Amino acid sequence: MKRIYICMFKEESNSFSPGIMGMEEFRKSIRTGEDLVHPDGRAGQTIRAFVEVLTEKGYTPVGGIGMTAQSGGPVSREVVDYFRENALQRLREAGDVDGLLLYFHGATISEDSDDVCGDLLETFRAVVGQEMPIAVACDMHANVTRRVMAQVDFICGYITYPHADFYETGRRAAQLLCRKLSGETLKTAWVTIPMLAPASGYTTNDPQLHALMQRGHEMVQQGEISDFTIFQAQPWLDVPQIATSVVVTACAERAAKDAAAMLAAGEFTLREVLQGTSMMTLREGIQAALDNPEDRPVILADSADSSGAGSRGDSAVPIAQLLPHRNVLRAAVTVADPAAVDKAFALGVGGRADFWLGGTLAPRLTQPVLVEDAVVESLHEGDYVAAGPAEKGMTFHIGPCAVLRAGKIRILVIRSGQTERDIQFFRGFGIEPADCRLVCVKACASFRASYEGVAAQIHTVATPGSAGHVLTELPYTRLPQPLYPFQQIDESHISQPVCLR
């Protein structure tokens, strides 16, 4: 019976987010051995998909180590070394294995490296040799470098944004690995387009990008290719090797290359569209909520401070602009401020005080805001169960948190920035978004799948933060050239498709 070794390392880095992501950010997530590959899916939907496909094929999943953290700044040397050493030790202890299935984010940098995933894949390849197949599942925003492609047989990324296909992506990667192990010839082609787009500027439901994605799906359904991903790349990486990538797997090298070139040409034509439209000001967004005639909320996306994009989640700018309307506008908003959480717990439920909120984790970007006469409405340990569609049923632990009430504004105060894409992020702590007139979510686009059913309007608003929407206004210093939107490009800048393995 064939045995497949499984590992997971996930953190999406943002070069502009202050601080280093150390072991403290990863420690609670660590799973090893059977705990990582348990069939109940405790390690997430992608790993569960790995396990289910392998089991269906009669293969044995062998658990290595899994480590994940919230998106943030570069990871520490200690974190990378810990993962590498434990992954290799467990690989040695596993004995003979027939393949590797890895789940990486794909856009991780460290204090030492611009390409952590490339580093790790080179390490794995050096240990297992050139013949053993390696398949990787990644985020759509992976930065797929030549070093990565030189080591992997297959790399499959999410093909929905908002991401709703964690499970399906795991199945795709596992199935390709199994097909190769069964003797099929499969070739993977890679093309790069020197362009970036803000993650707040598009979704795969937008008509033009949807049409391009649909062409890829049709080629899979018709048997022309086996798999494809358009990797949009994490745009807030300031590194010398970065680009949008198209990866296609097919039975024949020519078919893989032709399809990759066609999809890359289509992506190139969307380079302006993917930048998104001009945003409302925060003031305009609040006015839209005040003027909204429907009994449903206006959702404002504070994308620049999105923890899912690597920001710290501590901007209180939305709170500052909501305060003049505290007695008339039912609103829900969040901010990361550990000292304020501690103060709320010291006061207890019903306690009343003035609170300085925000500006503590990324003080060079925003300043604290004074919220006078706030009441501690509730205190929580920080567990909620996601409603989905992404990660439906998974339990998230965000740590001790407090709900403050300032007039009709309810502020969920958390200790550190967290992914806010699921509507249960508020509901789990007693705030019902559907009862509000305005909800401010720190997210780029991932929240839309959860909120569109309750929203009267959804707007991304211009706010400060390390995941700013207008890329040309951010302080990049290391990017390659040419790279759109910083420089103009034409079709000649699209790379020729290559198969590196």
Side-chain angles (χ1 to χ4, degrees):
M1 181 180 290
K2 289 183 170 61
R3 305 171 73 243
I4 309 300
Y5 186 68
I6 295 175
C7 282
M8 171 174 65
F9 186 77
K10 288 185 61 195
E11 190 265 1
E12 183 176 28
S13 301
N14 181 318
S15 295
F16 306 116
S17 183
I20 299 293
M21 301 291 281
M23 282 300 298
E24 187 59 32
E25 282 76 23
F26 285 84
R27 200 175 307 279
K28 290 182 180 179
S29 75
I30 296 174
R31 296 185 184 277
T32 58
E34 289 301 312
D35 188 38
L36 177 64
V37 296
H38 196 282
D40 68 2
R42 62 187 61 171
Q45 296 184 39
T46 304
I47 297 293
R48 178 167 69 88
F50 285 176
V51 173
E52 289 185 3
V53 170
L54 296 178
T55 303
E56 291 165 8
K57 300 294 184 181
Y59 298 170
T60 300
V62 180
I65 181 171
M67 297 174 60
T68 67
Q70 174 66 42
S71 302
V75 300
S76 71
R77 181 183 307 110
E78 179 188 13
V79 166
V80 178
D81 289 346
Y82 183 92
F83 175 81
R84 180 189 293 111
E85 291 165 7
N86 278 271
L88 295 182
Q89 177 185 339
R90 289 181 175 277
L91 178 57
R92 289 190 294 268
E93 293 171 351
D96 292 337
V97 297
D98 300 279
L100 270 58
L101 260 178
L102 308 173
Y103 184 23
F104 290 165
H105 181 280
T108 308
I109 62 175
S110 73
E111 54 187 337
D112 296 322
S113 173
D114 294 328
D115 187 8
V116 169
C117 297
D119 297 340
L120 294 174
L121 286 165
E122 285 184 345
T123 299
F124 278 120
R125 180 57 75 191
V127 170
V128 303
Q130 291 299 317
E131 299 305 314
M132 184 176 294
I134 299 176
V136 184
C138 280
D139 194 284
M140 174 188 278
H141 296 107
N143 180 31
V144 181
T145 64
R146 177 172 287 269
R147 291 176 65 212
V148 167
M149 292 304 301
Q151 312 308 323
V152 301
D153 297 273
F154 312 110
I155 181 166
C156 302
Y158 310 148
I159 49 180
T160 62
Y161 186 58
H163 304 317
D165 58 332
F166 301 104
Y167 176 81
E168 291 79 4
T169 302
R171 287 196 68 89
R172 288 161 48 214
Q175 287 168 343
L176 290 174
L177 183 77
C178 292
R179 286 173 61 182
K180 184 173 180 65
L181 286 170
S182 71
E184 275 194 65
T185 297
L186 293 166
K187 301 296 289 186
T188 297
W190 171 64
V191 176
T192 61
I193 313 102
M195 56 179 276
L196 296 176
S200 51
Y202 59 90
T203 78
T204 53
N205 298 319
D206 294 342
Q208 290 170 280
L209 183 55
H210 177 79
L212 180 63
M213 301 297 290
Q214 192 59 35
R215 179 66 187 114
H217 292 306
E218 289 169 358
M219 287 191 290
V220 173
Q221 292 163 4
Q222 294 166 6
E224 299 174 36
I225 62 174
S226 297
D227 195 80
F228 80 99
T229 306
I230 301 174
F231 288 100
Q232 301 291 348
Q234 152 68 310
W236 299 291
L237 288 180
D238 187 14
V239 295
Q241 294 184 15
I242 189 168
T244 295
S245 296
V246 176
V247 176
V248 174
T249 298
C251 294
E253 181 170 331
R254 185 73 267 157
K257 287 182 174 179
D258 287 349
M262 184 275 291
L263 292 172
E267 174 76 2
F268 167 81
T269 67
L270 301 182
R271 62 195 183 282
E272 295 181 11
V273 172
L274 295 175
Q275 302 303 310
T277 58
S278 60
M279 293 182 292
M280 277 187 172
T281 66
L282 189 52
R283 194 178 306 278
E284 289 170 339
I286 292 171
Q287 190 62 48
L290 291 167
D291 295 341
N292 173 34
E294 299 185 53
D295 192 24
R296 295 191 297 162
V298 169
I299 311 298
L300 301 184
D302 178 11
S303 64
D305 198 36
S306 167
S307 298
S311 292
R312 300 306 298 269
D314 71 331
S315 170
V317 170
I319 296 172
Q321 295 208 23
L322 281 169
L323 285 175
H325 311 284
R326 63 184 286 170
N327 295 321
V328 296
L329 185 60
R330 296 194 309 276
V333 65
T334 183
V335 68
D337 190 321
V341 173
D342 291 342
K343 180 174 179 175
F345 271 81
L347 287 170
V349 174
R352 187 183 296 267
D354 296 343
F355 281 80
W356 285 97
L357 295 178
T360 58
L361 303 177
R364 65 181 176 83
L365 296 174
T366 62
Q367 299 299 313
V369 170
L370 177 63
V371 180
E372 297 180 324
D373 195 29
V375 177
V376 180
E377 184 173 277
S378 58
L379 301 170
H380 307 271
E381 290 304 310
D383 292 331
Y384 72 93
V385 178
E391 300 168 318
K392 182 177 181 179
M394 286 191 65
T395 298
F396 287 83
H397 181 73
I398 65 172
C401 55
V403 176
L404 305 181
R405 188 176 70 251
K408 294 185 176 182
I409 302 170
R410 299 168 85 188
I411 307 167
L412 177 58
V413 187
I414 55 183
R415 296 192 65 84
S416 61
Q418 302 290 329
T419 297
E420 300 181 19
R421 60 175 165 247
D422 199 284
I423 199 167
Q424 288 295 120
F425 181 80
F426 282 113
R427 282 179 176 163
F429 307 110
I431 301 173
E432 174 49 65
D435 292 339
C436 297
R437 304 295 292 171
L438 181 148
V439 179
C440 187
V441 181
K442 293 182 185 294
C444 290
S446 57
F447 70 97
R448 289 177 178 268
S450 194
Y451 278 89
E452 283 175 340
V454 302
Q457 304 169 36
I458 297 178
H459 304 288
T460 300
V461 290
T463 52
S466 54
H469 178 82
V470 183
L471 301 184
T472 53
E473 295 179 355
L474 293 171
Y476 296 95
T477 61
R478 306 177 64 218
L479 293 178
Q481 293 186 19
L483 184 69
Y484 188 84
F486 307 95
Q487 296 89 31
Q488 292 299 314
I489 60 173
D490 58 38
E491 292 91 337
S492 69
H493 292 108
I494 303 173
S495 73
Q496 292 299 306
V498 295
C499 296
L500 297 181
R501 292 190 59 78

